[in-house]
Amino acid sequence: MQPDNLQGQHQFHIRQRLRMMVNQYEVRAVSPDGTEGELLAFAQQKRLAFKEQVTIYTDDSKQQPLLGFKARQRIDLGATYDVTDAAGNPIGLFRKDFAQSLLRSTWHVEQGGLPQVTGQERSMPVALLRRFVDSLSWLPYHFDFTAGGQPVFTVVKKWGLRDKYVVEVQNPQIDRRLVIAMAVALDALQAR
């Protein structure tokens, strides 16, 4: 899918594929009946990489990159990830707020021309249970991303054997590629 068409999407589903050596994610449009629609993008992340990097392609043939994100440093508890388009031009960045994430995961998203967006786990009780009760670490988590108290986008994890998310975009100015990168990162990087 071309970035112009992608920018018109206000909701999409992200589903993890089960693979042994890589994490793979399908990003799909939402059909009028609420089910998964056409494939918008396909992400792949190598496991156990020294420096986190994820490439997101236009489809699962992996012939044409759409965007990617990469950690600035190898090991950093509050790592910053640069998000770039297929040509390597910057789209924006996101970073984990390590201090706030001790109790409730918090991320910051930046895109030129827009105020900083902050995303945080919606439920403090679920966040605490996931951290302090090992047998409950599987509980689904939901993130609300806001700027100046206004909603920008949400990422809601659904129940199921495979990780699945519903992403809703409320701010038409946020680059959907940046939103997709952040949503994929929530699954790929959240446990780190």
Side-chain angles (χ1 to χ4, degrees), residues 43-59:
Q44 182 166 304
Q45 172 204 31
K46 292 181 182 175
R47 292 184 186 155
L48 305 174
F50 286 111
K51 193 171 185 180
E52 293 294 343
Q53 181 173 349
V54 175
T55 303
I56 301 173
Y57 301 92
T58 56
D59 60 35

Side-chain angles (χ1 to χ4, degrees), residues 17-164:
R17 288 184 180 175
L18 298 176
R19 299 291 184 262
M20 292 296 288
M21 299 307 292
V22 296
N23 286 330
Q24 294 182 334
Y25 302 90
E26 294 177 0
V27 180
R28 295 192 169 271
V30 177
S31 297
D33 66 359
T35 60
E36 290 182 5
E38 73 172 302
L39 184 66
L40 300 173
F42 178 79
Q44 182 166 304
Q45 172 204 31
K46 292 181 182 175
R47 292 184 186 155
L48 305 174
F50 286 111
K51 193 171 185 180
E52 293 294 343
Q53 181 173 349
V54 175
T55 303
I56 301 173
Y57 301 92
T58 56
D59 60 35
D60 57 1
S61 72
K62 299 185 281 183
Q63 298 298 309
Q64 184 178 347
L66 178 65
L67 69 125
F69 63 87
K70 184 176 183 178
R72 288 185 178 172
Q73 298 174 343
R74 288 183 185 218
I75 298 175
D76 184 1
L77 297 175
T80 297
Y81 297 84
D82 292 303
V83 181
T84 57
D85 67 14
N89 300 312
I91 296 171
L93 62 86
F94 58 86
R95 63 185 163 78
K96 189 167 190 175
D97 187 322
F98 178 73
Q100 286 194 12
S101 294
L102 290 173
L103 294 178
R104 192 171 175 186
S105 294
T106 303
W107 293 83
H108 301 288
V109 179
E110 297 179 21
Q111 175 184 322
L114 294 180
Q116 179 176 282
V117 176
T118 299
Q120 192 170 57
E121 283 184 88
R122 184 178 295 165
S123 170
M124 178 65 90
V126 170
L128 293 172
L129 286 171
R130 286 182 51 250
R131 281 162 180 71
F132 298 113
V133 181
D134 284 340
S135 63
L136 296 177
S137 62
W138 53 267
L139 283 172
Y141 47 84
H142 312 308
F143 278 82
D144 295 312
F145 288 82
T146 61
Q150 297 299 310
V152 177
F153 66 97
T154 59
V155 179
V156 175
K157 187 173 183 180
K158 297 295 186 180
W159 292 91
L161 293 175
R162 292 183 293 175
D163 293 342
K164 182 178 176 181

